[in-house]
Amino acid sequence: MLRALEIKAEGKGDGYALVLLDIDNFSMINDTFGAYYADRFLIDFAALLQHLPMTEGVARLSADQFALIVGSTGSLVEEILRSQLISRTLVIEGVETPLSFCMGIAHCHKELAPPEMLGHATLALKRAKKMGMGQAITFSDAMICSLRERVSMLSSLKQDLDHHRLYLVYQPQIHLKSGQLIGVEALVRWMDESGQMISPAVFIELAEQSGLIVKLGEWVLRRALFDCADLCRAQPGFRVAVNVSPLQFQQPDFVDRVKACLHEQGLEGQHLDLEITESVSMSYADEMIDKFKALREMGITISIDDFGTGFSSLSYLERLHVDCLKIDRSFIDKLTTSTSGYRIAQTILTLGQRLNMRVLAEGIETDAQLNELIKLNCDQGQGYLIARPMKIDALDEWIKIHTDQHSL
Ligand code: C2E
Ligand code: MG
Ligand code: MG
């Protein structure tokens, strides 16, 4: 393919594009229909690409990835390819399979060496796949800048993690009716060398993509248990909630690592709550069941974070013996202003009651929201109205004042 690009570059100059196509869910086609069917699918797909009017070269780069050289540029490339391919279905041995694939498109210039063109198209394809099935992205120079920024941010994050420059803040979780403190959620913070606070939404995603999250997550767990050990010892019911990313949960020794962290502080599992997102709990349900069971046997509770934003299978929720559903902040935000927000919160609360799970509302900001949640019989909550996330020293102070106001 690189040689073909080179020849094109010599002959044509600027008027062509390199397109990478990656078939969506190819492994599922392979697993469901078998290797023979999957091979036929690939052969037919390749033939389809070869016969597109604008195709000037086709190559198969890996199992389900193809490269096309097309004699056109501009936004038209995506449009033409879509119109010629997207509505097609492949009929193999009488089985009709719709075509779904992602595309990364790079426009070619005389000054670009073929490996660079391939790099651009690969980057665009990666972006497209991240957005989901059937997506297409055309490479732009801004992508390189943002890639460089991300690489440099990741390297600073690694250094700052090693040099203990990250820290945790804690947000109280309370019983809504009595105001009694249940525990805290640990949230990680990062101030980079220039003194700028980077949002966890940004650096957690970066850490997840690079695998650094396994180390970062373990640091958070260890630090949170260390910071809160005295609070746990003073109050048998006090629980520290720690967010756990999918990759951490998937580590084969995850349960042992958690056990070791608790052991280091001499704490029992009843003081720890692990928050996982809906996607983790559902995608590897069978594997998760054993891990959840082992954690529960240690007294650890499991909460589903941001509940309502993903896709949960109710039967799995029951099989996994989840302890708590955390209603996502976006629904609490709309609780008193839109009927859909109200209905979703109400539905999650009913679901929790039926499945015998606790329900905790996240992001309570107003008295109106608090009162509505109490009316709906929501047990627990957290949010700026109750307290903002704070450093451990401030938390100790907050707890003293709060305890004076509400008997524990
Ligand atoms: P999350 O676990 O759902 O955490 C709740 C987020 O809502 C936190 O944002 C918190 O500061 C914010 N929040 C709490 N109350 C309110 C409120 O009343 N109003 C508003 N507008 N926001 C409120 P934060 O700390 O920026 O964290 C964002 C996300 O980053 C977290 O969402 C979690 O998914 C992730 N994250 C944070 N720390 C960790 C960590 O240690 N490990 C992992 N894996 N993820 C983490
Ligand atoms: Mg959370
Ligand atoms: Mg949440």
Side-chain angles (χ1 to χ4, degrees):
M1 180 43 69
L2 288 180
R3 181 72 196 124
L5 279 170
E6 227 165 295
I7 294 167
K8 277 246 113 321
E10 280 158 16
K12 268 214 158 181
D14 286 352
Y16 65 101
L18 171 67
V19 183
L20 299 187
L21 297 103
D22 188 295
I23 300 170
D24 293 326
N25 289 336
F26 182 69
S27 56
M28 197 189 76
I29 297 176
N30 220 338
D31 294 345
T32 317
F33 298 108
Y36 173 75
Y37 180 91
D39 286 348
R40 292 296 311 273
F41 185 92
L42 288 174
I43 292 165
D44 287 10
F45 185 61
L48 196 63
L49 295 180
Q50 242 153 359
H51 291 105
L52 289 175
M54 64 207 283
T55 298
E56 299 192 9
V58 183
R60 184 176 170 206
L61 299 186
S62 65
D64 60 346
Q65 214 177 78
F66 291 84
L68 272 187
I69 297 176
V70 297
S72 175
T73 54
S75 57
L76 275 182
V77 175
E78 182 189 337
E79 226 168 88
I80 298 172
L81 282 174
R82 273 194 185 286
S83 65
Q84 289 175 347
L85 287 173
I86 218 79
S87 54
R88 304 288 284 267
T89 46
L90 294 181
V91 181
I92 299 157
E93 308 276 301
V95 182
E96 225 179 69
T97 312
L99 257 186
S100 177
F101 53 86
C102 286
M103 287 194 281
I105 303 164
H107 296 302
C108 301
H109 312 282
K110 274 191 284 248
E111 309 80 55
L112 279 180
E116 248 180 302
M117 295 178 203
L118 194 57
H120 289 179
T122 306
L123 188 59
L125 178 65
K126 269 193 191 157
R127 291 280 167 93
K129 282 171 69 173
K130 224 179 114 190
M131 285 167 58
M133 287 171 60
Q135 301 294 323
I137 295 278
T138 301
F139 174 82
S140 68
D141 288 338
M143 279 185 198
I144 292 273
C145 292
S146 87
L147 187 71
R148 283 202 192 114
E149 267 169 29
R150 288 169 76 80
V151 169
S152 124
M153 188 186 269
L154 179 62
S155 136
S156 312
L157 178 61
K158 274 184 185 151
Q159 275 180 18
D160 286 359
L161 177 62
D162 285 342
H163 293 101
H164 307 288
R165 286 199 283 261
L166 271 65
Y167 63 94
L168 297 184
V169 288
Y170 298 92
Q171 185 174 40
Q173 300 180 329
I174 62 163
H175 276 291
L176 294 180
K177 272 191 199 134
S178 65
Q180 192 179 328
L181 181 70
I182 305 163
V184 289
E185 176 176 6
L187 295 158
V188 65
R189 292 290 176 263
W190 178 34
M191 187 195 276
D192 74 3
E193 256 183 338
S194 67
Q196 193 193 346
M197 291 302 298
I198 317 275
S199 157
V202 174
F203 73 83
I204 290 289
E205 195 206 353
L206 196 62
E208 279 173 341
Q209 282 169 0
S210 62
L212 184 66
I213 194 70
V214 175
K215 189 172 171 188
L216 195 158
E218 192 168 336
W219 177 83
V220 170
L221 178 62
R222 182 167 283 127
R223 183 78 219 187
L225 291 173
F226 172 81
D227 280 349
C228 297
D230 287 344
L231 287 167
C232 294
R233 278 189 275 273
Q235 299 169 40
F238 190 89
R239 212 169 33 219
V240 188
V242 175
N243 292 284
V244 178
S245 285
L247 197 63
Q248 274 178 276
F249 232 101
Q250 285 161 32
Q251 299 300 303
D253 58 351
F254 177 74
V255 175
D256 292 334
R257 283 173 190 233
V258 173
K259 200 185 272 182
C261 289
L262 281 165
H263 189 72
E264 273 170 30
Q265 300 305 326
L267 292 174
E268 296 295 324
Q270 83 218 22
H271 292 295
L272 182 62
D273 179 67
L274 297 177
E275 291 193 5
I276 59 169
T277 52
E278 267 180 289
S279 56
V280 195
S281 45
M282 298 307 134
S283 20
Y284 308 91
D286 289 328
E287 190 189 313
M288 288 295 123
I289 286 173
D290 293 340
K291 283 192 182 157
F292 278 31
K293 190 163 171 270
L295 293 165
R296 283 173 60 86
E297 278 167 6
M298 287 156 62
I300 296 168
T301 49
I302 311 274
S303 299
I304 306 282
D305 206 353
D306 308 336
F307 190 76
T309 56
F311 298 97
S312 291
S313 141
L314 296 186
S315 64
Y316 273 145
L317 270 185
E318 207 169 17
R319 279 174 67 201
L320 287 170
H321 296 290
V322 166
D323 300 276
C324 174
L325 303 177
K326 292 189 76 176
I327 310 178
D328 189 62
R329 206 170 61 191
S330 57
F331 304 121
I332 305 303
D333 195 35
K334 289 187 284 190
L335 183 68
T336 51
T337 52
S338 101
T339 24
S340 77
Y342 180 86
R343 288 216 185 107
I344 291 174
Q346 190 183 35
T347 308
I348 298 175
L349 282 158
T350 312
L351 183 70
Q353 279 152 15
R354 294 272 157 83
L355 295 178
N356 226 354
M357 292 170 192
R358 284 185 292 125
V359 177
L360 186 145
E362 286 189 281
I364 307 172
E365 290 186 354
T366 65
D367 283 316
Q369 288 164 352
L370 176 66
N371 293 336
E372 202 57 61
L373 285 163
I374 292 175
K375 265 197 241 155
L376 283 168
N377 262 332
C378 177
D379 303 340
Q380 307 180 348
Q382 69 186 85
Y384 293 168
L385 181 72
I386 298 142
R388 288 195 174 242
M390 57 196 121
K391 288 190 180 172
I392 189 69
D393 299 345
L395 176 71
D396 287 336
E397 277 304 301
W398 184 90
I399 291 179
K400 270 188 211 130
I401 296 167
H402 186 81
T403 313
D404 286 343
Q405 289 167 354
H406 304 86
S407 57
L408 273 175

